[in-house]
Amino acid sequence: DKDPRKSYGALADHMSQLVRSFRDLEGRHVYFSAKMVRIEDEYTGISTFRPMMPGKTLVNGLPFFFDEVMALRIGEEDNGNKYRYLQTEPDAQYTAKDRSGTLDLIERPDLTHMFDKILGVEKPRLSGVKIKPKHSGAATDEQEKEQQEKEQE
């Protein structure tokens, strides 16, 4: 007679080993993404968002495997335009962290930008081309298009 609860422990062990084996690939920067699940504390009623994984042990422990943990969030400007951004520090609802110490609290959701910023890579300037840095909060496509049109005038 097998206790089905034991299978969660075996699954957590197997998944932890699998995640570590990918994380520890030599000479590679490894990116994981996960769907978020809302977890409501039965005592306080406070909802938190965590990576969705089977079993409680892995859900709670997964962020400890990584140097960088970010939550993809949706913000809204005063005019109602929505934009996406990455949250790099934890708050009451979202797990996040930045062990590199190079990221802003809010970053635009661009993996090349993130890797370059963490690694300290500066992009070469092309002669005759004006490169304008983007702000750390992600602009909407409409705002970027308007700015480009103004610069062309």
Side-chain angles (χ1 to χ4, degrees), residues 1 4-5 12 15 19 21 32 34 37 43 49 56 63 68 74 85 99 101 103 113-114 118 123 131 133 137 140 149:
D1 183 46
R5 294 173 292 182
M15 289 299 294
V19 168
S21 66
F32 287 86
V37 63
Y43 299 108
F49 295 87
K56 289 182 182 180
E68 306 296 326
I74 298 175
Y85 65 94
R99 282 193 188 147
L103 301 177
H113 166 75
M114 303 297 289
I118 291 167
K123 294 291 185 186
I131 299 175
T140 63
E149 289 172 357

Side-chain angles (χ1 to χ4, degrees), residues 39-130:
I39 300 172
E40 186 173 327
D41 185 289
E42 59 190 63
Y43 299 108
T44 64
I46 296 173
S47 293
T48 58
F49 295 87
R50 305 259 175 122
M52 181 186 285
M53 295 292 283
K56 289 182 182 180
T57 304
L58 197 54
V59 168
N60 293 330
L62 197 60
F64 296 104
F65 286 94
F66 305 103
D67 293 328
E68 306 296 326
V69 177
M70 297 164 225
L72 180 62
R73 307 277 309 271
I74 298 175
E76 187 171 341
E77 296 174 346
D78 293 338
N79 62 8
N81 287 339
K82 292 186 179 184
Y83 60 95
R84 287 177 171 73
Y85 65 94
L86 291 170
Q87 177 180 325
T88 65
E89 294 294 329
D91 64 14
Q93 288 190 304
Y94 290 88
T95 301
K97 69 178 174 183
D98 171 29
R99 282 193 188 147
S100 74
T102 61
L103 301 177
D104 295 324
L105 171 64
I106 294 173
E107 291 284 352
R108 69 178 191 258
D110 176 339
L111 290 177
T112 299
H113 166 75
M114 303 297 289
F115 279 115
D116 288 348
K117 193 167 184 181
I118 291 167
L119 297 171
V121 176
E122 293 195 30
K123 294 291 185 186
R125 291 185 146 242
L126 302 174
S127 61
V129 177
K130 188 193 266 187

